[in-house]
Amino acid sequence: MKKCFVYYRFSSEQQRDGASIVRQKEVLQEYIKRHNVCDGMDDPEVVEILDESLSAFKGLNMSEGRLGKWMDQVRIGMWDGSRLVVESIDRFSRLNPFTVLSYISELVSHKITMIDASNNMWINLANSQLLPIVTMSAQRAYEESVIKSKRIADGWRRRRDSAFNDNGIVTNKTPQWIDVVDNKYVLNDKAEVVRERYLDCVNPVSVHQRLLKFCVRKVMNGNSIDRGEQNQYTRFYVTAE
């Protein structure tokens, strides 16, 4: 069945509350309308594919995301003759250009046109002259991500080295049982709870012993034990922010 698909993606959790998706939707919806992208499709309604907080450089949108699931459907012939609209090649993938071209080749083999709205490129078998431009776009996106990845890795290395040499901290982001005091990591009163839960995992018998003592104490005090109080001892979670 021929349909018009539009793909949106952002890479990091920090972008969730930003304008990335809003901007992408505005740009692509206007492009689809202006260029009559859905004309000739079996279904005139646009189908949205959204991947949130998934890196295209690491290939997570293909291995874990909705785009990867859609590609699986493409491979079994579900969407032959359809169209996929993206803001640019780098929204689709930032992997090595050879890998990107292999994905595009799969689309072309199923007569699917991928549309790069930023460059107004309709990538299909009839427009093979666009291949050099597509390759250069994929190479540019890949190189940008490689450079960014190296910079981030170098930044974390410097932080770790500085923390080790100065006996300080690497980051202010800590679990709930650790505070930052005078550039030092300090355990707070919640650390004891974490320690107890760890011991419970190492020695499950202690959980039952604690539950037994709790029940005996309640009964001796003449109090009943409701289901909610019993259930609070069945699972333990350690959360971090």
Side-chain angles (χ1 to χ4, degrees):
M1 185 176 187
K2 296 189 291 186
K3 287 189 174 185
C4 178
F5 296 89
V6 58
Y7 178 61
Y8 312 112
R9 181 188 62 80
F10 61 87
S11 301
S12 63
E13 193 65 28
Q14 289 80 3
Q15 293 176 296
R16 182 178 296 275
D17 297 327
S20 179
I21 291 299
V22 174
R23 179 187 53 75
Q24 288 181 58
K25 286 188 175 184
E26 290 177 350
V27 170
L28 296 185
Q29 287 172 1
E30 193 276 332
Y31 182 92
I32 291 170
K33 182 178 180 180
R34 176 158 45 93
H35 292 273
N36 301 313
V37 174
C38 293
D39 284 4
M41 299 292 101
D42 296 330
D43 186 347
E45 294 297 320
V46 174
V47 180
E48 295 185 342
I49 305 171
L50 171 62
D51 277 328
E52 303 174 285
S53 305
L54 290 179
S55 169
F57 177 57
K58 296 178 180 178
L60 297 181
N61 59 331
M62 288 293 185
S63 63
E64 302 176 8
R66 292 184 175 92
L67 182 62
K69 292 181 175 62
W70 181 79
M71 288 293 293
D72 288 339
Q73 295 172 348
V74 167
R75 293 180 181 109
I76 61 175
M78 284 184 63
W79 310 121
D80 288 7
S82 296
R83 290 169 182 163
L84 174 67
V85 187
V86 296
E87 183 183 31
S88 58
I89 295 293
D90 58 12
R91 290 293 175 189
F92 179 75
S93 180
R94 283 180 171 268
L95 291 170
N96 185 285
F98 286 106
T99 303
V100 178
L101 291 179
S102 71
Y103 289 140
I104 294 176
S105 179
E106 288 187 89
L107 298 181
V108 171
S109 68
H110 286 275
K111 299 180 181 180
I112 295 174
T113 298
M114 186 169 78
I115 302 172
D116 179 330
S118 295
N119 296 301
N120 194 27
M121 292 193 301
W122 291 49
I123 305 165
N124 53 35
L125 198 59
N127 292 325
S128 57
Q129 75 277 6
L130 294 175
L131 190 58
I133 302 175
V134 172
T135 303
M136 288 189 291
S137 296
Q139 179 66 28
R140 174 191 53 78
Y142 176 67
E143 289 179 350
E144 286 177 353
S145 292
V146 168
I147 293 172
K148 181 179 179 181
S149 177
K150 289 181 178 178
R151 287 175 177 171
I152 292 174
D154 184 62
W156 278 108
R157 181 186 60 78
R158 292 174 183 271
R159 285 188 181 188
R160 288 193 298 269
D161 290 346
S162 177
F164 179 79
N165 295 329
D166 301 333
N167 196 25
I169 67 171
V170 177
T171 174
N172 284 316
K173 294 182 179 180
T174 62
Q176 294 181 5
W177 59 91
I178 299 177
D179 293 332
V180 175
V181 180
D182 296 329
N183 200 37
K184 307 288 183 183
Y185 292 127
V186 179
L187 296 178
N188 57 36
D189 55 359
K190 295 180 182 178
E192 184 59 32
V193 177
V194 177
R195 188 177 293 108
E196 289 179 0
R197 297 300 174 265
Y198 172 77
L199 293 176
D200 287 341
C201 293
V202 175
N203 181 21
V205 175
S206 65
V207 179
H208 301 292
Q209 291 175 341
R210 188 175 302 154
L211 179 58
L212 179 60
K213 290 180 181 179
F214 171 78
C215 293
V216 170
R217 186 168 59 251
K218 291 283 288 188
V219 172
M220 290 184 66
N221 291 334
N223 299 321
S224 60
I225 304 173
D226 61 38
R227 182 174 295 275
E229 289 176 317
Q230 296 179 52
N231 288 342
Q232 68 177 322
Y233 283 87
T234 58
R235 291 188 180 184
F236 300 98
Y237 297 93
V238 177
T239 60
E241 292 183 349

